[in-house]
Amino acid sequence: MLEVKNLSVGYPGRTVLEDVSLAVRPGRVLVLLGPNGCGKSTLLRTLPGLLPPLGGEILLDGRSLGNYSPREAARKIAYLPQSRAVPSITARRMVLHGRFPYLSYPRRYRREDHEAVGLALAAAGALDLADRPLPELSGGQRQKVYLALALAQETETILMDEPTTYLDIRNQLETLALLRRLAAEGRGAAAVLHDLCLALAAADDVAVLGEGRLLALGGPEEIYRSGILERVMGVRLDRTAGPGGWRYFCELPEEG
C-alpha cells in the first residue's frame, strides 16, 4: 500500500498543496479531482518520488519511500505521466522500457520480459501497434502504448496522470475498465482525471483537491452528496440510474 501522511508538495519556494493524507489501497481505484492548477499532477509526481516532498511522509508497505532504492521503488510503483517524449523507436521497444527495473546492466531482455510486454500491449489495446514507430502514431495510439509501458512494470501500485488524454470515448471507457480490472486483481490504482462523470463511475475513493489542500476524501456517493464538486468545479452535477449503476452528468449552473 502507498500511503501519505500530512504531505506537502510543490517546488522550491512554492508550496502547492499542504497537509494531504490519503492512501492508494490494494484492490481499489483512487481518483484525484479538482480544478486546473490545483496540484493534482504535482501530488501524483511526488507519490513515487519523482518530486521531493516539502513535508510529511510517504510510506510504501509501511516503510518510508526514502528507504527504497529507485530500482526497488520502480518494482512496486509504476507512473504514467501526462506527456512523454516521442523517440524514434517502435511501440514494442518503448514498452520494453517498463522492464528496466528487473534488468541488470548491460540490459539483456529475457523471455519473461518479452512475454510481459506482449501481455501489457494486449491489455492496453495496443498489440496491433507493436511494430509501428512511435512518431507515426496518433496521440491516442501513443497514449495506449504509454499505458502498456506502465503495465509492463508489473507493479502492485500504478499511478496515472490523465490516462484518457487523446482517447476517443470508447477507448476512454476501456481504459477505465482496465483500472477496474487492475483493482480486481488486487492492485492499487490512482488516476488524475478531469471528466467528473467518468471519474465518479470508475472510482472506489475520490480525493477532491483545491485551495491548496485536500478538501474531501470519500467514496463517490459521499462525495456526490456533499456537493463539494459543484462548489469547487463551478458546475451542476446530477445523475440518473442506469443498468450498471449511476450515470453522472454535468452542466453549467443557472444564472441568477
Side-chain angles (χ1 to χ4, degrees), residues 54-89:
L54 302 182
E57 292 182 285
I58 303 176
L59 302 175
L60 181 57
D61 294 337
R63 290 172 51 197
S64 172
L65 183 64
N67 291 336
Y68 289 83
S69 70
R71 185 176 178 184
E72 288 173 328
R75 290 183 176 187
K76 288 183 169 288
I77 308 172
Y79 169 71
L80 174 67
Q82 200 169 43
S83 59
R84 281 183 175 271
V86 185
S88 294
I89 58 175

PDB file of all heavy atoms in Angstrom, residues 54-89:
ATOM      1  N   LEU A  54       7.835  18.356   0.287  1.00  0.00           N
ATOM      2  CA  LEU A  54       8.240  19.520   1.073  1.00  0.00           C
ATOM      3  C   LEU A  54       7.996  19.302   2.557  1.00  0.00           C
ATOM      4  O   LEU A  54       8.462  20.080   3.391  1.00  0.00           O
ATOM      5  CB  LEU A  54       7.489  20.767   0.599  1.00  0.00           C
ATOM      6  CG  LEU A  54       7.652  21.133  -0.880  1.00  0.00           C
ATOM      7  CD1 LEU A  54       6.888  22.415  -1.192  1.00  0.00           C
ATOM      8  CD2 LEU A  54       9.123  21.282  -1.249  1.00  0.00           C
ATOM      9  N   GLY A  55       7.255  18.250   2.872  1.00  0.00           N
ATOM     10  CA  GLY A  55       6.973  17.919   4.265  1.00  0.00           C
ATOM     11  C   GLY A  55       6.082  16.700   4.329  1.00  0.00           C
ATOM     12  O   GLY A  55       5.480  16.298   3.337  1.00  0.00           O
ATOM     13  N   GLY A  56       6.003  16.094   5.512  1.00  0.00           N
ATOM     14  CA  GLY A  56       5.160  14.925   5.680  1.00  0.00           C
ATOM     15  C   GLY A  56       5.866  13.630   5.311  1.00  0.00           C
ATOM     16  O   GLY A  56       7.084  13.599   5.102  1.00  0.00           O
ATOM     17  N   GLU A  57       5.079  12.552   5.226  1.00  0.00           N
ATOM     18  CA  GLU A  57       5.625  11.214   4.989  1.00  0.00           C
ATOM     19  C   GLU A  57       4.988  10.548   3.778  1.00  0.00           C
ATOM     20  O   GLU A  57       3.800  10.734   3.512  1.00  0.00           O
ATOM     21  CB  GLU A  57       5.345  10.310   6.202  1.00  0.00           C
ATOM     22  CG  GLU A  57       6.066  10.657   7.475  1.00  0.00           C
ATOM     23  CD  GLU A  57       5.737   9.643   8.568  1.00  0.00           C
ATOM     24  OE1 GLU A  57       4.622   9.706   9.118  1.00  0.00           O
ATOM     25  OE2 GLU A  57       6.589   8.770   8.845  1.00  0.00           O
ATOM     26  N   ILE A  58       5.803   9.763   3.072  1.00  0.00           N
ATOM     27  CA  ILE A  58       5.310   8.853   2.040  1.00  0.00           C
ATOM     28  C   ILE A  58       5.743   7.452   2.461  1.00  0.00           C
ATOM     29  O   ILE A  58       6.936   7.176   2.604  1.00  0.00           O
ATOM     30  CB  ILE A  58       5.878   9.178   0.651  1.00  0.00           C
ATOM     31  CG1 ILE A  58       5.571  10.622   0.258  1.00  0.00           C
ATOM     32  CG2 ILE A  58       5.312   8.212  -0.404  1.00  0.00           C
ATOM     33  CD1 ILE A  58       6.195  11.038  -1.065  1.00  0.00           C
ATOM     34  N   LEU A  59       4.776   6.565   2.664  1.00  0.00           N
ATOM     35  CA  LEU A  59       5.049   5.214   3.130  1.00  0.00           C
ATOM     36  C   LEU A  59       4.654   4.212   2.064  1.00  0.00           C
ATOM     37  O   LEU A  59       3.551   4.275   1.509  1.00  0.00           O
ATOM     38  CB  LEU A  59       4.277   4.928   4.419  1.00  0.00           C
ATOM     39  CG  LEU A  59       4.549   5.865   5.609  1.00  0.00           C
ATOM     40  CD1 LEU A  59       3.615   5.533   6.756  1.00  0.00           C
ATOM     41  CD2 LEU A  59       6.002   5.758   6.049  1.00  0.00           C
ATOM     42  N   LEU A  60       5.534   3.290   1.787  1.00  0.00           N
ATOM     43  CA  LEU A  60       5.285   2.211   0.843  1.00  0.00           C
ATOM     44  C   LEU A  60       5.391   0.904   1.600  1.00  0.00           C
ATOM     45  O   LEU A  60       6.459   0.561   2.116  1.00  0.00           O
ATOM     46  CB  LEU A  60       6.306   2.263  -0.298  1.00  0.00           C
ATOM     47  CG  LEU A  60       6.186   1.216  -1.402  1.00  0.00           C
ATOM     48  CD1 LEU A  60       4.803   1.257  -2.044  1.00  0.00           C
ATOM     49  CD2 LEU A  60       7.271   1.417  -2.458  1.00  0.00           C
ATOM     50  N   ASP A  61       4.255   0.213   1.737  1.00  0.00           N
ATOM     51  CA  ASP A  61       4.181  -1.010   2.535  1.00  0.00           C
ATOM     52  C   ASP A  61       4.728  -0.783   3.944  1.00  0.00           C
ATOM     53  O   ASP A  61       5.443  -1.626   4.510  1.00  0.00           O
ATOM     54  CB  ASP A  61       4.935  -2.146   1.849  1.00  0.00           C
ATOM     55  CG  ASP A  61       4.293  -2.562   0.534  1.00  0.00           C
ATOM     56  OD1 ASP A  61       3.093  -2.304   0.365  1.00  0.00           O
ATOM     57  OD2 ASP A  61       5.005  -3.124  -0.331  1.00  0.00           O
ATOM     58  N   GLY A  62       4.398   0.380   4.491  1.00  0.00           N
ATOM     59  CA  GLY A  62       4.759   0.695   5.868  1.00  0.00           C
ATOM     60  C   GLY A  62       6.153   1.251   6.069  1.00  0.00           C
ATOM     61  O   GLY A  62       6.499   1.653   7.183  1.00  0.00           O
ATOM     62  N   ARG A  63       6.971   1.285   5.018  1.00  0.00           N
ATOM     63  CA  ARG A  63       8.331   1.833   5.091  1.00  0.00           C
ATOM     64  C   ARG A  63       8.399   3.164   4.370  1.00  0.00           C
ATOM     65  O   ARG A  63       7.714   3.372   3.363  1.00  0.00           O
ATOM     66  CB  ARG A  63       9.338   0.882   4.443  1.00  0.00           C
ATOM     67  CG  ARG A  63       9.619  -0.402   5.173  1.00  0.00           C
ATOM     68  CD  ARG A  63      10.488  -1.314   4.318  1.00  0.00           C
ATOM     69  NE  ARG A  63      11.678  -0.662   3.792  1.00  0.00           N
ATOM     70  CZ  ARG A  63      12.396  -1.129   2.785  1.00  0.00           C
ATOM     71  NH1 ARG A  63      12.036  -2.239   2.145  1.00  0.00           N
ATOM     72  NH2 ARG A  63      13.478  -0.486   2.375  1.00  0.00           N
ATOM     73  N   SER A  64       9.242   4.032   4.869  1.00  0.00           N
ATOM     74  CA  SER A  64       9.439   5.313   4.202  1.00  0.00           C
ATOM     75  C   SER A  64       9.931   5.087   2.777  1.00  0.00           C
ATOM     76  O   SER A  64      10.829   4.269   2.539  1.00  0.00           O
ATOM     77  CB  SER A  64      10.451   6.165   4.963  1.00  0.00           C
ATOM     78  OG  SER A  64      10.797   7.328   4.228  1.00  0.00           O
ATOM     79  N   LEU A  65       9.345   5.815   1.829  1.00  0.00           N
ATOM     80  CA  LEU A  65       9.765   5.670   0.435  1.00  0.00           C
ATOM     81  C   LEU A  65      11.253   5.957   0.278  1.00  0.00           C
ATOM     82  O   LEU A  65      11.925   5.362  -0.572  1.00  0.00           O
ATOM     83  CB  LEU A  65       8.943   6.610  -0.451  1.00  0.00           C
ATOM     84  CG  LEU A  65       9.210   6.534  -1.954  1.00  0.00           C
ATOM     85  CD1 LEU A  65       8.823   5.168  -2.504  1.00  0.00           C
ATOM     86  CD2 LEU A  65       8.450   7.639  -2.696  1.00  0.00           C
ATOM     87  N   GLY A  66      11.780   6.841   1.095  1.00  0.00           N
ATOM     88  CA  GLY A  66      13.194   7.181   1.022  1.00  0.00           C
ATOM     89  C   GLY A  66      14.124   6.034   1.362  1.00  0.00           C
ATOM     90  O   GLY A  66      15.322   6.094   1.053  1.00  0.00           O
ATOM     91  N   ASN A  67      13.596   4.990   1.989  1.00  0.00           N
ATOM     92  CA  ASN A  67      14.414   3.823   2.332  1.00  0.00           C
ATOM     93  C   ASN A  67      14.525   2.817   1.196  1.00  0.00           C
ATOM     94  O   ASN A  67      15.232   1.819   1.322  1.00  0.00           O
ATOM     95  CB  ASN A  67      13.847   3.125   3.573  1.00  0.00           C
ATOM     96  CG  ASN A  67      14.009   3.950   4.830  1.00  0.00           C
ATOM     97  OD1 ASN A  67      14.893   4.811   4.909  1.00  0.00           O
ATOM     98  ND2 ASN A  67      13.160   3.725   5.817  1.00  0.00           N
ATOM     99  N   TYR A  68      13.803   3.062   0.099  1.00  0.00           N
ATOM    100  CA  TYR A  68      13.879   2.192  -1.077  1.00  0.00           C
ATOM    101  C   TYR A  68      14.854   2.787  -2.088  1.00  0.00           C
ATOM    102  O   TYR A  68      14.900   4.013  -2.264  1.00  0.00           O
ATOM    103  CB  TYR A  68      12.510   2.080  -1.755  1.00  0.00           C
ATOM    104  CG  TYR A  68      11.482   1.283  -0.998  1.00  0.00           C
ATOM    105  CD1 TYR A  68      10.740   1.870   0.022  1.00  0.00           C
ATOM    106  CD2 TYR A  68      11.223  -0.046  -1.311  1.00  0.00           C
ATOM    107  CE1 TYR A  68       9.772   1.148   0.712  1.00  0.00           C
ATOM    108  CE2 TYR A  68      10.254  -0.773  -0.632  1.00  0.00           C
ATOM    109  CZ  TYR A  68       9.536  -0.169   0.382  1.00  0.00           C
ATOM    110  OH  TYR A  68       8.577  -0.873   1.066  1.00  0.00           O
ATOM    111  N   SER A  69      15.606   1.953  -2.762  1.00  0.00           N
ATOM    112  CA  SER A  69      16.394   2.419  -3.893  1.00  0.00           C
ATOM    113  C   SER A  69      15.432   2.724  -5.047  1.00  0.00           C
ATOM    114  O   SER A  69      14.312   2.216  -5.080  1.00  0.00           O
ATOM    115  CB  SER A  69      17.398   1.358  -4.324  1.00  0.00           C
ATOM    116  OG  SER A  69      16.730   0.254  -4.932  1.00  0.00           O
ATOM    117  N   PRO A  70      15.840   3.573  -6.005  1.00  0.00           N
ATOM    118  CA  PRO A  70      14.961   3.838  -7.156  1.00  0.00           C
ATOM    119  C   PRO A  70      14.525   2.568  -7.869  1.00  0.00           C
ATOM    120  O   PRO A  70      13.375   2.453  -8.300  1.00  0.00           O
ATOM    121  CB  PRO A  70      15.838   4.718  -8.053  1.00  0.00           C
ATOM    122  CG  PRO A  70      16.756   5.424  -7.115  1.00  0.00           C
ATOM    123  CD  PRO A  70      17.050   4.403  -6.043  1.00  0.00           C
ATOM    124  N   ARG A  71      15.415   1.600  -7.980  1.00  0.00           N
ATOM    125  CA  ARG A  71      15.071   0.349  -8.651  1.00  0.00           C
ATOM    126  C   ARG A  71      14.036  -0.429  -7.854  1.00  0.00           C
ATOM    127  O   ARG A  71      13.084  -0.987  -8.418  1.00  0.00           O
ATOM    128  CB  ARG A  71      16.334  -0.481  -8.859  1.00  0.00           C
ATOM    129  CG  ARG A  71      16.112  -1.754  -9.662  1.00  0.00           C
ATOM    130  CD  ARG A  71      17.437  -2.449  -9.883  1.00  0.00           C
ATOM    131  NE  ARG A  71      17.258  -3.702 -10.607  1.00  0.00           N
ATOM    132  CZ  ARG A  71      18.245  -4.540 -10.864  1.00  0.00           C
ATOM    133  NH1 ARG A  71      19.473  -4.261 -10.487  1.00  0.00           N
ATOM    134  NH2 ARG A  71      18.003  -5.663 -11.522  1.00  0.00           N
ATOM    135  N   GLU A  72      14.205  -0.491  -6.521  1.00  0.00           N
ATOM    136  CA  GLU A  72      13.234  -1.184  -5.683  1.00  0.00           C
ATOM    137  C   GLU A  72      11.861  -0.523  -5.780  1.00  0.00           C
ATOM    138  O   GLU A  72      10.835  -1.201  -5.894  1.00  0.00           O
ATOM    139  CB  GLU A  72      13.703  -1.183  -4.228  1.00  0.00           C
ATOM    140  CG  GLU A  72      14.887  -2.091  -3.944  1.00  0.00           C
ATOM    141  CD  GLU A  72      15.402  -1.922  -2.523  1.00  0.00           C
ATOM    142  OE1 GLU A  72      15.309  -0.797  -1.966  1.00  0.00           O
ATOM    143  OE2 GLU A  72      15.887  -2.915  -1.965  1.00  0.00           O
ATOM    144  N   ALA A  73      11.853   0.808  -5.727  1.00  0.00           N
ATOM    145  CA  ALA A  73      10.580   1.533  -5.805  1.00  0.00           C
ATOM    146  C   ALA A  73       9.896   1.308  -7.152  1.00  0.00           C
ATOM    147  O   ALA A  73       8.669   1.168  -7.226  1.00  0.00           O
ATOM    148  CB  ALA A  73      10.809   3.018  -5.565  1.00  0.00           C
ATOM    149  N   ALA A  74      10.706   1.247  -8.231  1.00  0.00           N
ATOM    150  CA  ALA A  74      10.141   1.068  -9.571  1.00  0.00           C
ATOM    151  C   ALA A  74       9.562  -0.330  -9.765  1.00  0.00           C
ATOM    152  O   ALA A  74       8.789  -0.552 -10.701  1.00  0.00           O
ATOM    153  CB  ALA A  74      11.204   1.340 -10.629  1.00  0.00           C
ATOM    154  N   ARG A  75       9.916  -1.270  -8.914  1.00  0.00           N
ATOM    155  CA  ARG A  75       9.303  -2.604  -8.974  1.00  0.00           C
ATOM    156  C   ARG A  75       7.971  -2.643  -8.246  1.00  0.00           C
ATOM    157  O   ARG A  75       7.242  -3.623  -8.349  1.00  0.00           O
ATOM    158  CB  ARG A  75      10.252  -3.643  -8.360  1.00  0.00           C
ATOM    159  CG  ARG A  75      11.493  -3.923  -9.189  1.00  0.00           C
ATOM    160  CD  ARG A  75      12.320  -5.009  -8.548  1.00  0.00           C
ATOM    161  NE  ARG A  75      13.469  -5.366  -9.367  1.00  0.00           N
ATOM    162  CZ  ARG A  75      14.290  -6.383  -9.110  1.00  0.00           C
ATOM    163  NH1 ARG A  75      14.053  -7.146  -8.045  1.00  0.00           N
ATOM    164  NH2 ARG A  75      15.316  -6.647  -9.885  1.00  0.00           N
ATOM    165  N   LYS A  76       7.682  -1.587  -7.505  1.00  0.00           N
ATOM    166  CA  LYS A  76       6.456  -1.540  -6.724  1.00  0.00           C
ATOM    167  C   LYS A  76       5.472  -0.478  -7.206  1.00  0.00           C
ATOM    168  O   LYS A  76       4.262  -0.619  -7.006  1.00  0.00           O
ATOM    169  CB  LYS A  76       6.786  -1.284  -5.241  1.00  0.00           C
ATOM    170  CG  LYS A  76       7.413  -2.486  -4.548  1.00  0.00           C
ATOM    171  CD  LYS A  76       7.640  -2.213  -3.087  1.00  0.00           C
ATOM    172  CE  LYS A  76       8.012  -3.499  -2.347  1.00  0.00           C
ATOM    173  NZ  LYS A  76       6.865  -4.414  -2.208  1.00  0.00           N
ATOM    174  N   ILE A  77       5.993   0.603  -7.827  1.00  0.00           N
ATOM    175  CA  ILE A  77       5.129   1.707  -8.270  1.00  0.00           C
ATOM    176  C   ILE A  77       5.431   2.020  -9.724  1.00  0.00           C
ATOM    177  O   ILE A  77       6.577   2.290 -10.089  1.00  0.00           O
ATOM    178  CB  ILE A  77       5.362   2.987  -7.444  1.00  0.00           C
ATOM    179  CG1 ILE A  77       5.256   2.715  -5.946  1.00  0.00           C
ATOM    180  CG2 ILE A  77       4.355   4.061  -7.850  1.00  0.00           C
ATOM    181  CD1 ILE A  77       5.673   3.921  -5.096  1.00  0.00           C
ATOM    182  N   ALA A  78       4.405   1.997 -10.559  1.00  0.00           N
ATOM    183  CA  ALA A  78       4.524   2.445 -11.955  1.00  0.00           C
ATOM    184  C   ALA A  78       3.828   3.801 -12.073  1.00  0.00           C
ATOM    185  O   ALA A  78       2.782   4.021 -11.455  1.00  0.00           O
ATOM    186  CB  ALA A  78       3.893   1.446 -12.905  1.00  0.00           C
ATOM    187  N   TYR A  79       4.405   4.672 -12.879  1.00  0.00           N
ATOM    188  CA  TYR A  79       3.862   6.026 -13.029  1.00  0.00           C
ATOM    189  C   TYR A  79       3.709   6.351 -14.509  1.00  0.00           C
ATOM    190  O   TYR A  79       4.660   6.244 -15.282  1.00  0.00           O
ATOM    191  CB  TYR A  79       4.802   7.034 -12.362  1.00  0.00           C
ATOM    192  CG  TYR A  79       4.488   8.480 -12.667  1.00  0.00           C
ATOM    193  CD1 TYR A  79       3.360   9.094 -12.130  1.00  0.00           C
ATOM    194  CD2 TYR A  79       5.330   9.226 -13.491  1.00  0.00           C
ATOM    195  CE1 TYR A  79       3.077  10.425 -12.411  1.00  0.00           C
ATOM    196  CE2 TYR A  79       5.050  10.549 -13.776  1.00  0.00           C
ATOM    197  CZ  TYR A  79       3.915  11.142 -13.234  1.00  0.00           C
ATOM    198  OH  TYR A  79       3.634  12.453 -13.521  1.00  0.00           O
ATOM    199  N   LEU A  80       2.497   6.712 -14.901  1.00  0.00           N
ATOM    200  CA  LEU A  80       2.209   7.139 -16.265  1.00  0.00           C
ATOM    201  C   LEU A  80       2.037   8.649 -16.268  1.00  0.00           C
ATOM    202  O   LEU A  80       1.046   9.168 -15.751  1.00  0.00           O
ATOM    203  CB  LEU A  80       0.930   6.471 -16.775  1.00  0.00           C
ATOM    204  CG  LEU A  80       0.413   6.932 -18.143  1.00  0.00           C
ATOM    205  CD1 LEU A  80       1.384   6.517 -19.241  1.00  0.00           C
ATOM    206  CD2 LEU A  80      -0.970   6.352 -18.416  1.00  0.00           C
ATOM    207  N   PRO A  81       3.009   9.412 -16.822  1.00  0.00           N
ATOM    208  CA  PRO A  81       2.903  10.871 -16.810  1.00  0.00           C
ATOM    209  C   PRO A  81       1.882  11.377 -17.816  1.00  0.00           C
ATOM    210  O   PRO A  81       1.387  10.622 -18.670  1.00  0.00           O
ATOM    211  CB  PRO A  81       4.316  11.326 -17.179  1.00  0.00           C
ATOM    212  CG  PRO A  81       4.861  10.208 -18.001  1.00  0.00           C
ATOM    213  CD  PRO A  81       4.255   8.947 -17.446  1.00  0.00           C
ATOM    214  N   GLN A  82       1.609  12.656 -17.718  1.00  0.00           N
ATOM    215  CA  GLN A  82       0.639  13.277 -18.616  1.00  0.00           C
ATOM    216  C   GLN A  82       1.151  13.315 -20.047  1.00  0.00           C
ATOM    217  O   GLN A  82       0.394  13.186 -20.999  1.00  0.00           O
ATOM    218  CB  GLN A  82       0.328  14.685 -18.120  1.00  0.00           C
ATOM    219  CG  GLN A  82      -0.958  15.270 -18.634  1.00  0.00           C
ATOM    220  CD  GLN A  82      -1.314  16.542 -17.883  1.00  0.00           C
ATOM    221  OE1 GLN A  82      -0.455  17.382 -17.618  1.00  0.00           O
ATOM    222  NE2 GLN A  82      -2.565  16.690 -17.531  1.00  0.00           N
ATOM    223  N   SER A  83       2.454  13.487 -20.226  1.00  0.00           N
ATOM    224  CA  SER A  83       3.041  13.510 -21.565  1.00  0.00           C
ATOM    225  C   SER A  83       4.445  12.928 -21.497  1.00  0.00           C
ATOM    226  O   SER A  83       5.087  12.918 -20.448  1.00  0.00           O
ATOM    227  CB  SER A  83       3.092  14.942 -22.110  1.00  0.00           C
ATOM    228  OG  SER A  83       3.863  15.773 -21.263  1.00  0.00           O
ATOM    229  N   ARG A  84       4.908  12.449 -22.644  1.00  0.00           N
ATOM    230  CA  ARG A  84       6.236  11.838 -22.741  1.00  0.00           C
ATOM    231  C   ARG A  84       6.913  12.283 -24.034  1.00  0.00           C
ATOM    232  O   ARG A  84       6.263  12.724 -24.979  1.00  0.00           O
ATOM    233  CB  ARG A  84       6.135  10.307 -22.758  1.00  0.00           C
ATOM    234  CG  ARG A  84       5.923   9.649 -21.419  1.00  0.00           C
ATOM    235  CD  ARG A  84       5.926   8.143 -21.567  1.00  0.00           C
ATOM    236  NE  ARG A  84       5.835   7.461 -20.296  1.00  0.00           N
ATOM    237  CZ  ARG A  84       6.884   7.114 -19.551  1.00  0.00           C
ATOM    238  NH1 ARG A  84       8.099   7.391 -19.968  1.00  0.00           N
ATOM    239  NH2 ARG A  84       6.714   6.488 -18.404  1.00  0.00           N
ATOM    240  N   ALA A  85       8.216  12.119 -24.060  1.00  0.00           N
ATOM    241  CA  ALA A  85       8.950  12.331 -25.308  1.00  0.00           C
ATOM    242  C   ALA A  85       8.552  11.240 -26.302  1.00  0.00           C
ATOM    243  O   ALA A  85       8.028  10.186 -25.926  1.00  0.00           O
ATOM    244  CB  ALA A  85      10.454  12.282 -25.049  1.00  0.00           C
ATOM    245  N   VAL A  86       8.791  11.508 -27.582  1.00  0.00           N
ATOM    246  CA  VAL A  86       8.419  10.554 -28.631  1.00  0.00           C
ATOM    247  C   VAL A  86       9.684  10.128 -29.379  1.00  0.00           C
ATOM    248  O   VAL A  86      10.035  10.696 -30.415  1.00  0.00           O
ATOM    249  CB  VAL A  86       7.395  11.167 -29.609  1.00  0.00           C
ATOM    250  CG1 VAL A  86       6.925  10.112 -30.609  1.00  0.00           C
ATOM    251  CG2 VAL A  86       6.208  11.743 -28.852  1.00  0.00           C
ATOM    252  N   PRO A  87      10.402   9.140 -28.868  1.00  0.00           N
ATOM    253  CA  PRO A  87      11.632   8.700 -29.539  1.00  0.00           C
ATOM    254  C   PRO A  87      11.311   7.933 -30.816  1.00  0.00           C
ATOM    255  O   PRO A  87      10.204   7.411 -31.000  1.00  0.00           O
ATOM    256  CB  PRO A  87      12.290   7.788 -28.502  1.00  0.00           C
ATOM    257  CG  PRO A  87      11.144   7.276 -27.679  1.00  0.00           C
ATOM    258  CD  PRO A  87      10.144   8.390 -27.624  1.00  0.00           C
ATOM    259  N   SER A  88      12.280   7.837 -31.691  1.00  0.00           N
ATOM    260  CA  SER A  88      12.104   7.137 -32.970  1.00  0.00           C
ATOM    261  C   SER A  88      12.379   5.652 -32.806  1.00  0.00           C
ATOM    262  O   SER A  88      13.347   5.094 -33.341  1.00  0.00           O
ATOM    263  CB  SER A  88      13.019   7.748 -34.042  1.00  0.00           C
ATOM    264  OG  SER A  88      12.628   9.065 -34.313  1.00  0.00           O
ATOM    265  N   ILE A  89      11.508   4.995 -32.037  1.00  0.00           N
ATOM    266  CA  ILE A  89      11.592   3.551 -31.826  1.00  0.00           C
ATOM    267  C   ILE A  89      10.186   2.980 -31.985  1.00  0.00           C
ATOM    268  O   ILE A  89       9.198   3.724 -32.017  1.00  0.00           O
ATOM    269  CB  ILE A  89      12.150   3.195 -30.433  1.00  0.00           C
ATOM    270  CG1 ILE A  89      11.271   3.809 -29.328  1.00  0.00           C
ATOM    271  CG2 ILE A  89      13.593   3.643 -30.289  1.00  0.00           C
ATOM    272  CD1 ILE A  89      11.686   3.415 -27.917  1.00  0.00           C
TER     273      ILE A  89
END
